[in-house]
Amino acid sequence: MASEARILIAPSVLAADFANLGQQVRDATAAGADLIHVDIMDGRFVPNISFGEAVVDAIRGCTSLPLNVHLMIEEPDAMLPRFMKSVSDQVIVHAEACRHLHRTVGSIMEKGCQAGVAINPATPLAAVEEVLPLLDLVLVMTVNPGFGGQVFIPQALSRVRRLKEIIRREGYKAQVEVDGGVKADHTAVDSVRAGATVLVAGTAIFNKQEPVADALARLRETVRQA
Ligand code: DX5
Ligand code: ZN
């Protein structure tokens, strides 16, 4: 069964070789990535620190693709302006980190960026339902956030399916994105069949086994056959 919707692939630079970050971003862009996924971790919302604003700005200078900025940070409101410098970017906050999610989503939209909300594997879908009409994107975590290279949680698929059903039924525009453990195998195929149209892939794209272009082409082909 060929899937009707165009599937966007968002390589996550968390798995890139940080000593060659610019080149890795250029490689992913040249290989046909649709978005560049950028994980911001603060060591509080998740038990890991990744990188901040300066690195995001540097990445933006290496690609013309929109950035898919995934903020895994506590109290994101104060930090948001640092990550909303380009209106072509998508800015994603975690529902679990926002006390006033509706207001936070509104402030992303006011800046002209696309607004996304992420939910952890144990967070009920109801946490996003009331803001769903506003959103461009819902990011369903398919691992617990904080690290690359984890194993895809299969139970997340029914969450993608149920969320997609609500979006279809209500005629909302939000795309469903999956993040964590997605590879050129059943994880990508099942995600697409469940209704995801944006796939984040870190270690599946940036690894020492194959060039970025080959890895991306393999994932693209797997998805095409889904
Ligand atoms: C995990 C991050 C992911 C991570 C995915 O907390 O949000 O974006 O980079 O990495 P892989 O694809 O290797 O699981
Ligand atoms: Zn992410």
Side-chain angles (χ1 to χ4, degrees), residues 12 14 37 39 41 70 72 141 145-149 179-181 200-203:
S12 170
L14 188 67
H37 184 82
D39 288 307
M41 303 177 175
H70 180 191
M72 283 163 276
M141 287 303 307
F147 305 94
D179 183 8
V200 176
T203 47

Side-chain angles (χ1 to χ4, degrees), residues 12 14 37-41 68-72 92 94 139 141 143 145-146 177-180 200:
S12 170
L14 188 67
H37 184 82
V38 182
D39 288 307
I40 310 299
M41 303 177 175
N68 184 242
V69 183
H70 180 191
L71 297 176
M72 283 163 276
I92 304 156
H94 265 266
L139 189 159
M141 287 303 307
V143 297
E177 175 172 20
V178 286
D179 183 8
V200 176

Side-chain angles (χ1 to χ4, degrees), residues 45 70-72 92-98 117-120 141 145:
F45 182 73
H70 180 191
L71 297 176
M72 283 163 276
I92 304 156
V93 292
H94 265 266
E96 304 86 359
C98 296
V117 173
I119 45 173
N120 287 336
M141 287 303 307

Side-chain angles (χ1 to χ4, degrees), residues 19-220:
N20 289 301
L21 187 53
Q23 193 51 47
Q24 295 252 276
V25 171
R26 281 187 281 270
D27 288 349
T29 306
D34 298 289
L35 305 160
I36 300 294
H37 184 82
V38 182
D39 288 307
I40 310 299
M41 303 177 175
D42 66 353
R44 291 179 62 222
F45 182 73
V46 289
N48 198 8
I49 294 176
S50 57
F51 44 77
E53 172 188 11
V55 173
V56 177
D57 291 347
I59 291 171
R60 201 179 280 113
C62 298
T63 184
S64 53
L65 294 176
L67 303 188
N68 184 242
V69 183
H70 180 191
L71 297 176
M72 283 163 276
I73 59 180
E74 290 287 357
E75 297 166 16
D77 299 81
M79 289 288 178
L80 271 178
R82 299 167 187 246
F83 299 103
M84 300 194 299
K85 293 188 192 153
S86 166
V87 290
S88 57
D89 291 348
Q90 305 172 323
V91 179
I92 304 156
V93 292
H94 265 266
E96 304 86 359
C98 296
R99 185 166 294 168
H100 303 289
L101 184 59
H102 185 275
R103 179 183 294 153
T104 304
V105 166
S107 65
I108 298 171
M109 292 166 57
E110 255 168 42
K111 279 281 177 192
C113 295
Q114 290 197 22
V117 173
I119 45 173
N120 287 336
T123 300
L125 297 184
V128 287
E129 228 175 307
E130 302 304 326
V131 293
L132 204 46
L134 307 173
L135 299 181
D136 296 291
L137 204 61
V138 180
L139 189 159
V140 176
M141 287 303 307
T142 42
V143 297
N144 286 294
F147 305 94
Q150 300 182 82
V151 176
F152 186 92
I153 298 172
Q155 288 80 4
L157 289 168
S158 91
R159 293 157 58 69
V160 170
R161 224 172 278 121
R162 280 180 282 139
L163 186 63
K164 192 71 181 190
E165 184 46 40
I166 300 170
I167 292 170
R168 271 202 201 108
R169 192 178 64 224
E170 301 298 331
Y172 297 150
K173 63 179 183 299
Q175 291 200 286
V176 180
E177 175 172 20
V178 286
D179 183 8
V182 177
K183 304 200 176 316
D185 61 14
H186 67 94
T187 55
V189 171
D190 294 347
S191 296
V192 169
R193 288 188 180 161
T197 51
V198 186
L199 306 184
V200 176
T203 47
I205 301 288
F206 298 109
N207 58 63
K208 296 210 159 57
Q209 279 76 54
E210 58 188 338
V212 167
D214 293 0
L216 206 133
R218 227 153 44 78
L219 180 56
R220 181 78 75 197

